Amino acid sequence: MITNIILTTLQILVIAGLAPLVKGFINKMEGYWQCRRGPSMFQPYYNLIKLLQKDVVVSETASWIFSATPYVVFVSILVIALLIPVLSAQVPLDFTGDIILIVYLFALGRFFLALSSLDTGSAFGGMGGSREMTISSMAEPAMMLSIFTVSLTAGSTNLSSITGTLLNYKSLNPSLLLAFAALAIVIVSETGRIPVDNPFTHLELTMIHEGMILEFSGRYLALIEWASSMKLLLLLTILVNTFLPWGIATDLTFPGMIISFAWYLVKIGFFAFAIVILELSFSKLRLFRIPNLLGTSFVLSVLAIISFYVVS
């Protein structure tokens, strides 16, 4: 029981505390490679503190759904943080759910965000919500199939079991490479990064995720922005600790957790820098070309499952 409480506390602190820093690192690196000073790496923390101190402004047409959405989104992300391996192959809520529950929790937050975008009667919010649900309907199947490929290899849909199995997996399986590529494309889509969406734009005709949160302010906006940062970190964590679980602790000893945390920072930093390179190399796609990209992800995930049965 004490071990589980310690692991729960550590995972929440790492995910909730490190998520804004990852976002700040991406913004800082993009500024550096664009030959400008760029914001401080700690700017996301300052923004959250500032928003938490501001009052909330709620539309007259909004119902309880609008007020509940920030808390539902934030809590669902925190629950996911307890269902995935972060510093240890063990997870605090190992007995509760697996990757299927994780996908549904991601969908729960998205569903409430889409509802809240319609709840305020905003035309731009409704447009953003419609686009978000359209894109998610293409991204979720690819995400499920890519994770199922790994679960077939491990013989379980539990992420803790998958990580533990792949730690001892020595051979190079082409199905895992295909699933890795498919999940990487899904992560770009799910987190609203270029080329699918531009997280820095405020041009109404091109907004997707930003369009849904236009009406939020104060602590509501702070919770949603914080949850968005944690979602990026959680998806990257699933990517690195599922497909590349090197260095993750197998027991809860202090030296093992320190080494695991160091490896975790290196892997997350590498893929955060990969996002920087991607966003500097491509421009935002037109809305009607996004299905082509997500279709590629779906095809890769299907090929991953086929190759698993062919090779095995």
Side-chain angles (χ1 to χ4, degrees):
M1 180 64 70
I2 296 177
T3 302
N4 198 41
I5 293 175
I6 293 174
L7 184 60
T8 300
T9 305
L10 282 176
Q11 292 207 173
I12 290 179
L13 288 177
V14 169
I15 296 298
L18 198 61
L21 185 62
V22 173
K23 184 177 180 181
F25 173 78
I26 293 175
N27 296 341
K28 184 66 176 180
M29 287 296 100
E30 288 185 358
Y32 174 80
W33 288 102
Q34 290 173 345
C35 299
R36 55 186 177 87
R37 184 177 181 181
S40 168
M41 288 180 57
F42 302 100
Q43 187 61 46
Y45 294 103
Y46 305 146
N47 293 342
L48 289 177
I49 293 173
K50 179 177 66 175
L51 288 173
L52 288 171
Q53 294 173 346
K54 289 188 174 182
D55 294 331
V56 174
V57 179
V58 181
S59 171
E60 294 180 353
T61 63
S63 67
W64 65 269
I65 294 177
F66 183 84
S67 300
T69 293
Y71 300 102
V72 172
V73 172
F74 189 78
V75 171
S76 64
I77 292 295
L78 282 183
V79 173
I80 294 173
L82 301 179
L83 289 169
I84 65 174
V86 179
L87 300 179
S88 170
Q90 304 175 31
V91 295
L93 299 183
D94 189 32
F95 59 90
T96 304
D98 53 12
I99 188 60
I100 300 176
L101 176 61
I102 292 173
V103 173
Y104 273 110
L105 286 173
F106 278 131
L108 176 65
R110 184 187 301 110
F111 175 69
F112 267 83
L113 270 179
L115 281 183
S116 65
S117 67
L118 299 172
D119 197 36
T120 58
S122 169
F124 290 124
M127 182 175 63
S130 174
R131 290 175 175 178
E132 177 74 13
M133 298 307 291
T134 301
I135 292 174
S136 67
S137 67
M138 295 178 284
E140 284 181 1
M143 181 179 181
M144 292 286 288
L145 289 177
S146 62
I147 297 296
F148 280 158
T149 302
V150 189
S151 67
L152 287 172
T153 304
S156 173
T157 57
N158 186 283
L159 279 179
S160 179
S161 300
I162 292 173
T163 300
T165 301
L166 292 186
L167 272 173
N168 303 316
Y169 202 72
K170 305 299 181 183
S171 60
L172 181 63
N173 194 327
S175 63
L176 295 180
L177 296 178
L178 292 171
F180 178 87
L183 185 59
I185 296 175
V186 170
I187 289 175
V188 172
S189 170
E190 286 287 288
T191 55
R193 312 299 304 191
I194 293 174
V196 176
D197 192 13
N198 187 351
F200 305 106
T201 185
H202 291 284
L203 180 62
E204 287 84 354
L205 295 178
T206 64
M207 288 190 298
I208 300 178
H209 176 74
E210 294 294 324
M212 294 192 297
I213 63 175
L214 277 177
E215 298 295 325
F216 289 98
S217 59
R219 67 177 181 277
Y220 287 176
L221 183 58
L223 290 175
I224 290 177
E225 291 289 356
W226 199 354
S228 177
S229 300
M230 288 193 291
K231 182 178 181 179
L232 172 61
L233 181 56
L234 286 172
L235 287 171
L236 289 178
T237 302
I238 292 174
L239 187 71
V240 300
N241 283 346
T242 300
F243 293 91
L244 308 169
W246 312 316
I248 193 169
T250 55
D251 52 1
L252 298 180
T253 61
F254 183 74
M257 299 299 283
I258 294 296
I259 295 173
S260 176
F261 182 65
W263 270 101
Y264 180 74
L265 290 179
V266 170
K267 291 186 288 186
I268 292 297
F270 175 81
F271 283 100
F273 187 73
I275 291 177
V276 173
I277 300 301
L278 178 68
E279 294 193 339
L280 294 178
S281 303
F282 295 93
S283 59
K284 183 182 180 299
L285 289 175
R286 293 178 56 199
L287 182 64
F288 296 110
R289 294 190 62 185
I290 294 177
N292 296 336
L293 179 64
L294 295 177
T296 302
S297 176
F298 180 77
V299 170
L300 287 173
S301 60
V302 172
L303 289 176
I305 291 182
I306 295 174
S307 64
F308 170 81
Y309 287 107
V310 172
V311 172
S312 59

